[in-house]
């Protein structure tokens, strides 16, 4: 059941990005989201992340995003943590695959929204999840 929630959230994240539906994308993010980078200097707040996505959408750069099936790491009441691999394909460059860890929480009216996202190193992902690393 919890994996289904995570899969549905990832499907909606991919759909809203691929269709450049900014409002739908915004609805998948908590007002308290933390987008962590590989270092403290890479950490982005919600305002900066939204600014970047708006610029990408306005530039109409062809982009296709997909996610590997989630690997559940924690299930707390109203909060799920999982790992996945995000694949981004652009019309003018090679694909980029990035392992990430995402925490989503259930907010008002039962809506699941991202609370935190952080990149994982490939070696970290492979040590902890050979199945996900192959996805």
């Amino acid at each position: 059941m919890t994996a289904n929630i995570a899969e549905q959230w990832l499907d909606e994240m991919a759909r809203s990005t691929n269709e450049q539906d900014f409002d739908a994308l915004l609805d998948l993010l908590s007002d308290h989201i933390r987008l962590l980078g590989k270092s403290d200097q890479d950490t982005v707040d919600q305002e900066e992340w939204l600014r970047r996505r708006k610029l990408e959408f306005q530039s109409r750069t062809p982009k296709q995003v997909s996610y590997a099936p989630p690997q559940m790491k924690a299930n707390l009441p109203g909060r799920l943590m999982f790992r996945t691999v995000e694949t981004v394909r652009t019309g003018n460059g090679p694909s980029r695959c990035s392992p990430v860890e995402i925490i989503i929480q259930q907010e008002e009216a039962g809506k699941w929204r991202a609370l935190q996202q952080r990149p994982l190193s490939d070696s970290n992902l492979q040590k902890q999840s050979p199945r996900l690393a192959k996805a």
Side-chain angles (χ1 to χ4, degrees), residues 7-17 24-25 28 111:
E7 279 187 57
Q8 289 173 357
W9 186 88
L10 289 170
D11 288 346
E12 189 59 24
M13 189 70 164
R15 186 207 61 76
S16 61
T17 301
L25 183 65
L28 294 169
K111 180 73 177 177

Side-chain angles (χ1 to χ4, degrees), residues 91-104:
N92 58 357
S95 296
R96 177 182 49 84
C97 296
S98 305
V100 294
E101 182 176 80
I102 300 171
I103 299 173
I104 59 175

